[in-house]
Amino acid sequence: MNGEASPIIHARGVTKSFGALAVLKGVDFDCLRQQVSVVIGPSGSGKSTLLRCCNGLEVADGGSIEICGVRLVENGRMLPETELNALRAKVGMVFQAFNLFPHLSVLDNVTIAPRKLLGLARDEAEAAARGLLGKVGLAEKVDAFPAALSGGQKQRVAIARALAMKPQVMLFDEPTSALDPELVGEVLQVMKDLAREGMAMMVVTHEMGFAREVADTVSVMDHGVVLESGPPAQIFDAPQHPRTREFLQAVTLRGTTARVNRSEAGMAG
Amino acid sequence: MDFDFSPVWQGWRELAHGALVTVEITIGAIVLGCLVGLAVGLGRLDPKRRVIYAACTAYVGFIRGTPLLVQLFIWFFGLPHFGINLPAFFCGVVGMGMYSGAYVSEIVRGAIQSIDRGQMEAARSLGMPYRVAMREIVIPQAAIRMIPPLGNEFIALIKNSSLVSLLTIADLMHEGQKIISTSYRSLEVYLAIALIYFVLTNLTGLALRGAERRLAAGGLA
């Protein structure tokens, strides 16, 4: 059995190209159980692609990724479809664009996966969903449709939806980058609560404050490689790599960092 | 110019029966067309599944590239050469349905491809197999986008169904022509037929707009 310190995500030498564009050029990445690994770096550095490779939304061309103790991909060969579906059920995913299901109520958004995939009865799934929605502060929104929610509320529903499958690890792909500034805090608070409960999390973000406060490990990516990784104090206060220093400097100069890339949000794959 | 609508009044039973046959054939063709169209539309989503994709593409190409009347004649006059004798009504429904299926398939494909990719990704990342994600997440959202173009298709189908009168089927057009052949009042009878088609097509349009509103009220704005 895996102890607490064994990695729940274990990526080695991951490469990925889109056509002629090499987005990942041999990335090693680990996220330990009960720990929060934050990935930062400039837009186009490959951090979102790395995260998407970790649940098979993108197929890594080379290298290997192990997640929840299962070999997801090795040298471009993916896990067979059925096992991939089973693995994805254990890996929660939160998107920058929320991707709530607009034709379903908030409650149904959260219950549909457990009902269709785990075979839970409706009342059982709904009881669990109400609990999760209460936890993210949206107990009174169960009957609303996504179109009636603010961005922050949508993202909290999306987190509850992912948690409904009882994942072993959560992947967050720039979860606050599409939010209005005043709504960022409520989403980060939910993520902090999750981290405190010991949920393993991989978080791609531009929220340096969150990284510093919550992360166990921060990895800095640029041009498809990890420049360096380590505890937040080391990365933010004593960065080793000159490009890390440049990036952190640029980010601090720009002040509220989360909004930097909003205009590019739609394209950041 | 004198108008004499009395043949229309005297023949109202025949016209009503013809209209009923037109409605029956159209409904049959719509049901068949939607089933075929859904299957073919789904089959044309992924060019990497080569055999299915090629077969569906060939079907759409053939149907859209040849006249409906020719297709109906092939079903009705062509198949007996191979010892296959189908009743005229059956040929009408199948011929119209297979014709409509090609157009419906493009409606289905277009609507599904217009749904944001993030929807499929969110569903798959929860662990849903492709089929479940399609059935539970993508198709319900695509369905409402299909309604306006489907309305056009159904209305075109009602009007095109007048061609089955040439397969000896006693539809509205056929009954009208029978009345003309004894009364010689072609203008009056054709006007009456036009009015009946007009009512049928616009009722269909209204029904679909109502369906769209109901679906939109269910959160699918």
Side-chain angles (χ1 to χ4, degrees):
Chain A
M1 288 303 291
N2 289 304
E4 267 186 26
S6 70
I8 193 147
I9 302 175
H10 182 69
R12 282 297 171 268
V14 176
T15 61
K16 173 72 185 172
S17 298
F18 294 110
L21 180 70
V23 180
L24 299 178
K25 302 168 186 165
V27 173
D28 294 349
F29 177 83
D30 285 295
C31 178
L32 303 186
R33 281 170 202 274
Q34 307 207 322
Q35 295 216 336
V36 178
S37 287
V38 170
V39 184
I40 60 174
S43 278
S45 57
K47 51 198 191 310
S48 280
T49 304
L50 175 66
L51 180 134
R52 289 164 59 84
C53 283
C54 288
N55 74 347
L57 285 180
E58 307 288 354
V59 182
D61 300 329
S64 69
I65 300 175
E66 235 175 75
I67 184 160
C68 301
V70 178
R71 183 61 56 94
L72 169 67
V73 61
E74 186 164 33
N75 297 323
R77 272 202 319 279
M78 287 284 280
L79 202 62
E81 194 69 14
T82 346
E83 292 162 55
L84 177 60
N85 291 332
L87 179 59
R88 279 174 169 156
K90 295 185 221 164
V91 182
M93 173 91 176
V94 175
F95 298 85
Q96 179 177 350
F98 326 127
N99 295 342
L100 290 184
F101 306 133
H103 61 303
L104 300 177
S105 70
V106 164
L107 192 62
D108 288 342
N109 262 277
V110 181
T111 59
I112 186 155
R115 285 201 293 124
K116 300 293 169 188
L117 302 177
L118 306 178
L120 254 60
R122 183 179 278 276
D123 46 349
E124 199 180 348
E126 288 188 351
R130 284 175 200 279
L132 288 169
L133 287 165
K135 193 168 131 179
V136 300
L138 291 171
E140 79 285 9
K141 293 288 185 189
V142 286
D143 296 321
F145 279 87
L149 302 180
S150 73
Q153 292 171 333
K154 282 182 193 169
Q155 196 60 300
R156 287 184 281 150
V157 173
I159 293 171
R161 177 178 69 178
L163 291 175
M165 291 299 286
K166 299 194 166 68
Q168 297 179 14
V169 55
M170 291 278 287
L171 310 179
F172 291 86
D173 186 7
E174 302 199 27
T176 58
S177 296
L179 295 177
D180 289 334
E182 73 274 19
L183 303 177
V184 169
E186 61 192 62
V187 172
L188 292 182
Q189 189 54 51
V190 168
M191 292 168 64
K192 283 177 200 166
D193 294 345
L194 263 183
R196 203 170 304 126
E197 288 169 20
M199 174 65 77
M201 294 161 61
M202 173 182 184
V203 184
V204 170
T205 187
H206 292 280
E207 292 291 338
M208 298 305 145
F210 176 84
R212 190 187 271 274
E213 186 188 346
V214 183
D216 295 289
T217 314
V218 176
S219 300
V220 187
M221 281 188 73
D222 190 28
H223 291 104
V225 296
V226 174
L227 296 178
E228 59 184 304
S229 69
Q234 178 195 318
I235 298 293
F236 289 112
D237 301 331
Q240 302 300 302
H241 201 288
R243 289 222 297 279
T244 306
R245 286 199 284 273
E246 273 169 45
F247 170 69
L248 290 174
Q249 217 160 27
V251 160
T252 13
L253 281 179
R254 276 180 277 179
T256 46
T257 55
R259 265 66 65 194
V260 178
N261 294 298
R262 189 127 50 89
S263 56
E264 303 155 47
M267 323 162 37
Chain B
M1 237 179 32
D2 60 325
F3 283 102
D4 178 7
F5 280 96
S6 59
V8 173
W9 310 131
Q10 280 155 20
W12 75 270
R13 276 170 203 283
E14 285 75 18
L15 288 177
H17 186 260
L20 184 66
V21 171
T22 288
V23 169
E24 285 171 355
I25 287 199
T26 307
I27 289 177
I30 285 174
V31 171
L32 179 62
C34 285
L35 292 175
V36 171
L38 183 62
V40 173
L42 291 172
R44 264 160 65 80
L45 286 177
D46 184 4
K48 273 177 287 185
R49 283 148 68 199
R50 285 214 203 106
V51 178
I52 294 174
Y53 181 82
C56 292
T57 304
Y59 160 77
V60 173
F62 176 78
I63 296 284
R64 289 201 305 188
T66 56
L68 172 57
L69 187 58
V70 173
Q71 292 170 29
L72 289 172
F73 281 175
I74 289 174
W75 287 101
F76 188 64
F77 297 113
L79 289 183
H81 282 283
F82 303 99
I84 305 169
N85 282 293
L86 301 171
F89 185 85
F90 185 85
C91 283
V93 169
V94 171
M96 299 272 303
M98 294 304 284
Y99 172 80
S100 184
Y103 290 89
V104 171
S105 78
E106 287 292 271
I107 293 171
V108 167
R109 186 170 70 98
I112 287 176
Q113 288 179 338
S114 78
I115 300 299
D116 183 72
R117 202 165 53 105
Q119 292 292 307
M120 179 55 96
E121 289 188 347
R124 297 306 305 274
S125 68
L126 285 165
M128 288 189 199
Y130 178 82
R131 276 164 181 275
V132 178
M134 266 292 167
R135 194 182 61 221
E136 302 291 336
I137 305 301
V138 177
I139 290 178
Q141 294 180 60
I144 191 164
R145 299 194 188 174
M146 295 178 201
I147 290 177
L150 277 181
N152 283 337
E153 174 57 24
F154 295 167
I155 285 169
L157 206 54
I158 293 172
K159 296 186 291 181
N160 283 337
S161 75
S162 58
L163 291 174
V164 303
S165 61
L166 295 164
L167 307 187
T168 74
I169 295 172
D171 76 329
L172 177 56
M173 186 72 179
H174 194 266
E175 292 297 340
Q177 284 170 331
K178 270 201 295 196
I179 295 172
I180 291 168
S181 68
T182 54
S183 68
Y184 303 107
R185 284 287 164 185
S186 47
L187 177 61
E188 291 88 339
V189 174
Y190 281 132
L191 281 173
I193 291 174
L195 180 68
I196 297 172
Y197 277 116
F198 177 84
V199 170
L200 290 178
T201 51
N202 281 280
L203 282 179
T204 305
L206 283 176
L208 281 157
R209 217 167 313 149
E212 199 181 342
R213 260 199 301 272
R214 256 201 312 283
L215 280 174
L220 272 164

